[in-house]
Amino acid sequence: MQAKNPIIGLCQQASFLISAAKVEQCPEDSGYEIAFAGRSNAGKSSALNTLTHASLARTSKTPGRTQLLNFFSLDEDRRLVDLPGYGYAKVPIPLKMHWQKHLEAYLGSRECLRGLILMMDIRHPLTEFDEMMLDWSTASGMPMHILLTKADKLAFGAAKNTLLKVQQEIRKRWGDRISIQLFSAPKRQGIEQAQSVLAQWFELGEFAQPDEAQD
């Protein structure tokens, strides 16, 4: 019998650790970190909250509210990181530049970073920010898993077609090492598959795979 995904128990004890405006304020660079990134209003905070079964990240209908690197502890060695949303037009230019500078510093310097979860709104995938993150992941060799969020906004057939089209484009331009799936926070769609990725990156051992693979 396959073991139950051990990430579930860890997620149930997730708690806020610290917010950092720059890399120097981050926790000690040890253990395991998995970062959540996405263009503003891509559903990043909602996805993080759904995956952890908690209200860790603040959600808002106003894009660009996540302005800090927010760290959440699962245990003494494992953390989730909510990265600043990027690309919202109404955010002042100096703040945009601050976010970009410290986002790049975080991504480029954290030895404990084990993988990046990238959120894309299924209605607007592969934005300029998404392509920048895909380029970085490929160049650095950092594992990446994509959540096509807000999948409930499309009919099931249309969502599957979009998944296949985006998957094909990614494989054509960035290779086949990046995995991708459908995700909906309100419908709780894709939770087990995403949690299985987290468990693998956190090196939590064997766990039950979801029935439907979308990578």
Side-chain angles (χ1 to χ4, degrees):
M1 178 182 292
Q2 288 179 306
K4 181 180 178 181
N5 189 340
I7 194 67
I8 295 175
L10 283 181
C11 286
Q12 291 174 344
Q13 59 190 41
S15 61
F16 173 76
L17 181 61
I18 194 173
S19 292
K22 48 190 177 182
V23 174
E24 292 79 6
Q25 300 170 346
C26 294
E28 180 181 351
D29 191 356
S30 63
Y32 303 78
E33 282 180 1
I34 295 174
F36 285 67
R39 185 175 171 83
S40 297
N41 212 25
K44 178 165 53 66
S45 296
S46 295
L48 184 58
N49 288 339
T50 301
L51 289 171
T52 58
H53 305 287
S55 297
L56 296 178
R58 190 167 86 177
T59 60
S60 173
K61 293 183 178 180
T62 302
R65 292 297 292 272
T66 305
Q67 301 179 12
L68 302 169
L69 298 160
N70 293 308
F71 292 80
F72 303 97
S73 174
L74 301 185
D75 61 20
E76 290 185 358
D77 298 316
R78 296 172 176 87
R79 296 173 297 277
L80 301 177
V81 189
D82 187 12
L83 301 178
Y86 183 83
Y88 185 51
K90 292 184 179 180
V91 173
I93 294 297
L95 185 54
K96 280 187 183 180
M97 294 177 66
H98 172 84
W99 290 357
Q100 183 173 0
K101 174 183 175 182
H102 293 292
L103 177 59
E104 291 174 352
Y106 169 81
L107 293 173
S109 67
R110 294 294 278 183
E111 296 290 337
C112 61
L113 183 61
R114 301 306 174 97
L116 188 68
I117 303 290
L118 178 63
M119 264 63 60
M120 297 184 192
D121 186 328
I122 194 169
R123 300 165 299 178
H124 313 287
L126 293 175
T127 65
E128 182 179 356
F129 171 80
D130 299 330
E131 293 181 353
M132 179 180 75
M133 298 304 294
L134 283 158
D135 286 341
W136 176 82
S137 171
T138 302
S140 65
M142 179 63 62
M144 175 181 282
H145 183 68
I146 296 171
L147 304 184
L148 285 180
T149 60
K150 307 186 182 184
D152 56 292
K153 299 293 185 181
L154 300 180
F156 181 74
K160 291 288 286 187
N161 286 337
T162 299
L163 171 67
L164 292 174
K165 289 179 181 178
V166 175
Q167 184 180 58
Q168 290 171 358
E169 181 68 14
I170 289 173
R171 285 179 174 172
K172 177 181 176 181
R173 298 173 59 185
W174 292 280
D176 58 4
R177 53 175 294 278
I178 296 170
S179 53
I180 185 171
Q181 67 167 100
L182 298 175
F183 190 87
S184 168
K187 300 294 184 181
R188 305 188 65 78
Q189 176 184 359
I191 294 176
E192 289 186 2
Q193 185 179 354
Q195 287 180 332
S196 293
V197 173
L198 296 181
Q200 179 182 351
W201 289 352
F202 278 140
E203 299 183 4
L204 290 172
E206 296 297 323
F207 49 87
Q209 293 283 354
D211 293 334
E212 181 182 4
Q214 297 176 344
D215 59 357

